[in-house]
Amino acid sequence: MANVLILRFSAIGDVAMTVPVIDSLARQRSGNSYTVVSQDFLKPLFDGCPDNVRFIGINLKTDYRGIAGMFRLYGHLSQFRFDMVADLHDVLRTKLLRFLFRCSGLKVRHIRKGRKEKRRLTARRNKQFRPLKSSTERYADVFRALGLPAEVRFRSVFASGKGDFSRIEAFTGVKSGKWTGIAPFAKHQGKIYPIDRTERIIAHFSQKGDTTLFLFGGGSREKEILEKWSVLYPHTVSVAGKLKMSEELILISHLDVMLSMDSANMHLASLTATPVVSVWGATHPHAGFYGYRQLPQNAVQLSLSCRPCSVYGNKPCYRKDVACLTE
């Protein structure tokens, strides 16, 4: 029996993409125990995993901040007597942790992110446009390198495919007609469809009497916009700041479809087997971040020679017209 430590601290979508692999591994190699270390608010993503998956939530801004914090975290994790370490993040923090664990004699493997391939994919000149390995497969490769191969067979974080509706019914009301989720925001501007055009979409579907729209978002500015739309348009409900993550996952599982940018909500919906229509701008599914088991034909995107220009959507448009999102 092996005691496996798994490291992946952020971001929400990236952590979500580890779930299908870890869940499948835990079920197929049930004799082992698996401990996931990530940010504490992400625990609901792993609540549906088998009992041999343990979650340790940490706060990188307080308890384990900086280099000194990583030494403290190493000391805390050492008490669990792990046999091997899977670093699914490969950033400075996890590099230090895996170095310390390797020095203590543990078997350690880390993700190969394919950074050179991604630079070629997003190059302005001599672009090498081809699909790269998905993040899910890259995570699975780490466990294969540890001698723990598994076939990824995951379907949903909920055993029945749907979450416990009684936990959200007071907020949503009884389901009637079609439920559509709309998540119009992303971390970087290069991944956000123009807000005025998103509003037109909401205005259009809010007029259909058989459809209820649920709007998803996070920050204060996003909440303000979504709340305004929920007041302006009928059959439209802002979810932002009103539900816990565990409850949002339940609601998403009961949607008929999610309309999302290349963002965390695409991946949260993928964890509940909810179909996603995803909108792509500066980024591209070829980089390996497409939603788990989502259908390729449900990606809305333009074929432009400049796309993708960025892996994460965080680079300014060198054309200055953001044609990928405005044309």
Side-chain angles (χ1 to χ4, degrees), residues 52-309:
N52 57 338
V53 177
R54 169 175 51 191
F55 183 88
I56 295 180
I58 60 174
N59 190 320
L60 295 172
K61 295 181 180 179
T62 55
D63 303 338
Y64 300 108
R65 184 177 179 180
I67 299 299
M70 288 302 99
F71 278 97
R72 286 196 299 275
L73 181 57
Y74 170 73
H76 173 64
L77 295 175
S78 294
Q79 66 180 310
F80 295 100
R81 300 185 181 280
F82 295 109
D83 300 302
M84 53 185 71
V85 178
D87 177 4
L88 305 185
H89 205 165
D90 192 34
V91 292
L92 184 59
R93 290 188 179 100
T94 60
K95 286 178 180 179
L96 175 57
L97 285 173
R98 77 181 191 233
F99 171 76
L100 295 172
F101 278 112
R102 184 179 287 113
C103 289
S104 67
L106 272 63
K107 187 176 183 180
V108 177
R109 296 292 183 271
H110 69 276
I111 187 171
R112 307 292 179 177
K113 292 184 174 181
R115 291 185 175 94
K116 289 183 179 179
E117 296 173 297
K118 290 172 182 174
R119 281 197 294 270
R120 297 187 191 108
L121 175 66
T122 58
R124 186 171 174 179
R125 298 179 180 84
N126 301 317
K127 184 186 297 292
Q128 294 186 14
F129 186 72
R130 63 184 180 88
L132 305 181
K133 184 179 292 188
S134 71
S135 291
T136 301
E137 271 302 300
R138 292 185 189 277
Y139 294 145
D141 284 344
V142 179
F143 294 106
R144 294 184 187 111
L146 286 170
L148 300 172
E151 184 178 344
V152 182
R153 299 173 182 168
F154 175 86
R155 182 175 180 273
S156 170
V157 293
F158 302 112
S160 64
K162 304 289 183 182
D164 181 2
F165 188 75
S166 66
R167 289 184 55 191
I168 62 169
E169 187 173 0
F171 175 75
T172 64
V174 176
K175 183 172 183 179
S176 175
K178 297 175 183 177
W179 281 13
T180 297
I182 299 181
F185 300 105
K187 184 175 182 180
H188 300 295
Q189 199 64 37
K191 300 197 291 186
I192 301 177
Y193 189 60
I195 294 302
D196 61 326
R197 301 188 186 196
T198 297
E199 185 172 1
R200 288 183 223 165
I201 294 171
I202 291 169
H204 172 78
F205 283 101
S206 69
Q207 299 304 315
K208 295 181 177 293
D210 65 340
T211 300
T212 301
L213 305 178
F214 292 93
L215 311 181
F216 294 80
S220 57
R221 177 61 178 153
E222 296 178 12
K223 291 178 185 177
E224 182 182 329
I225 293 171
L226 299 182
E227 198 62 42
K228 182 186 77 171
W229 289 344
S230 70
V231 173
L232 280 175
Y233 302 107
H235 314 297
T236 302
V237 181
S238 173
V239 179
K242 298 176 181 178
L243 295 177
K244 301 175 183 177
M245 178 178 279
S246 58
E247 295 166 336
E248 282 200 14
L249 283 169
I250 293 171
L251 172 55
I252 290 171
S253 76
H254 288 274
L255 297 177
D256 294 287
V257 65
M258 171 72 85
L259 171 62
S260 173
M261 305 301 107
D262 169 20
S263 67
N265 282 291
M266 172 179 64
H267 298 293
L268 296 182
S270 299
L271 292 186
T272 67
T274 296
V276 178
V277 173
S278 54
V279 179
W280 297 74
T283 59
H284 197 286
H286 276 8
F289 300 109
Y290 197 52
Y292 173 75
R293 293 186 71 180
Q294 293 297 335
L295 299 177
Q297 59 264 38
N298 287 345
V300 179
Q301 55 187 331
L302 293 178
S303 296
L304 299 174
S305 60
C306 56
R307 287 191 63 236
C309 63

